Amino acid sequence: MQKTPSPEYKTMDSRISETLKQDIEKLSGRSKAEIPKSEALRIAREVWPHLFRISEPVPLKIGIHKEMIETDQVPPMLIKIALRYFVEQERYLEALKEGAIRIDSNGKRSGRVTLREAVGAELALYRKQQRKLTGNTCDNREFIGRLRVVQ
């Protein structure tokens, strides 16, 4: 069971503006379903602009959410919502090419994208495109050549 941060959640970083602190506190009291994904991403982009570049996304380190949570700048739930929303975007998935360098929360190199991860990103892009074309969001199984993909 996930703990919901209390509304009085305070950020520890003085670099965060008062307006941003107020936005974080406002969202902290809400349930996960009530928090707009775009708002969570906006907050994350203000705190970590080098990680959440929309026009030129860079592959993020596996487990980067743990580093971000340790900074105690943004409640864990907002971080998770923002990350999930960000990594599901088409531009991010397109950036996941085999051998691409991943970065950590400080912007330093932290591994590379594996072939398996790159193929997974390609399949996710394919699914998104098929949903756009057919409008079908119910069927989780697809056939690609002889490969059957099951979620």
Side-chain angles (χ1 to χ4, degrees), residues 31-51:
S31 71
K32 185 177 178 179
E34 295 175 324
I35 297 173
K37 295 175 186 177
S38 58
E39 190 64 11
L41 182 58
R42 181 189 64 80
I43 289 170
R45 286 185 70 206
E46 286 190 42
V47 178
W48 297 284
H50 61 286
L51 296 179

Side-chain angles (χ1 to χ4, degrees), residues 71-89:
T71 65
D72 204 28
Q73 295 177 326
V74 179
M77 185 179 6
L78 288 178
I79 291 171
K80 289 177 183 179
I81 291 169
L83 276 170
R84 181 171 189 117
Y85 184 56
F86 182 70
V87 302
E88 289 177 350
Q89 293 183 357

Side-chain angles (χ1 to χ4, degrees), residues 40-136:
L41 182 58
R42 181 189 64 80
I43 289 170
R45 286 185 70 206
E46 286 190 42
V47 178
W48 297 284
H50 61 286
L51 296 179
F52 295 99
R53 297 186 305 195
I54 303 297
S55 60
E56 292 181 35
V58 183
L60 302 176
K61 173 185 175 180
I62 302 293
I64 196 168
H65 68 284
K66 295 173 187 173
E67 290 179 6
M68 296 167 77
I69 289 169
E70 285 177 5
T71 65
D72 204 28
Q73 295 177 326
V74 179
M77 185 179 6
L78 288 178
I79 291 171
K80 289 177 183 179
I81 291 169
L83 276 170
R84 181 171 189 117
Y85 184 56
F86 182 70
V87 302
E88 289 177 350
Q89 293 183 357
E90 289 182 21
R91 286 189 181 190
Y92 182 82
L93 292 170
E94 289 168 354
L96 291 176
K97 300 293 181 199
E98 182 185 10
I101 296 171
R102 292 185 174 279
I103 60 170
D104 65 11
S105 62
N106 297 317
K108 296 180 182 168
R109 293 176 157 207
S110 183
R112 293 186 177 269
V113 175
T114 65
L115 176 60
R116 177 179 225 147
E117 294 162 347
V119 169
E122 287 292 324
L123 290 173
L125 279 169
Y126 173 79
R127 285 187 199 109
K128 280 181 166 286
Q129 291 166 353
Q130 289 303 307
R131 276 188 230 124
K132 282 182 184 177
L133 292 173
T134 64
N136 185 1

Side-chain angles (χ1 to χ4, degrees), residues 7-25:
E8 59 272 358
Y9 185 91
K10 300 290 182 196
T11 58
M12 302 308 251
D13 190 0
S14 58
R15 293 177 296 171
I16 295 177
S17 70
E18 281 302 314
T19 308
L20 186 57
K21 287 180 184 180
Q22 291 170 1
D23 291 344
I24 291 170
E25 288 177 19

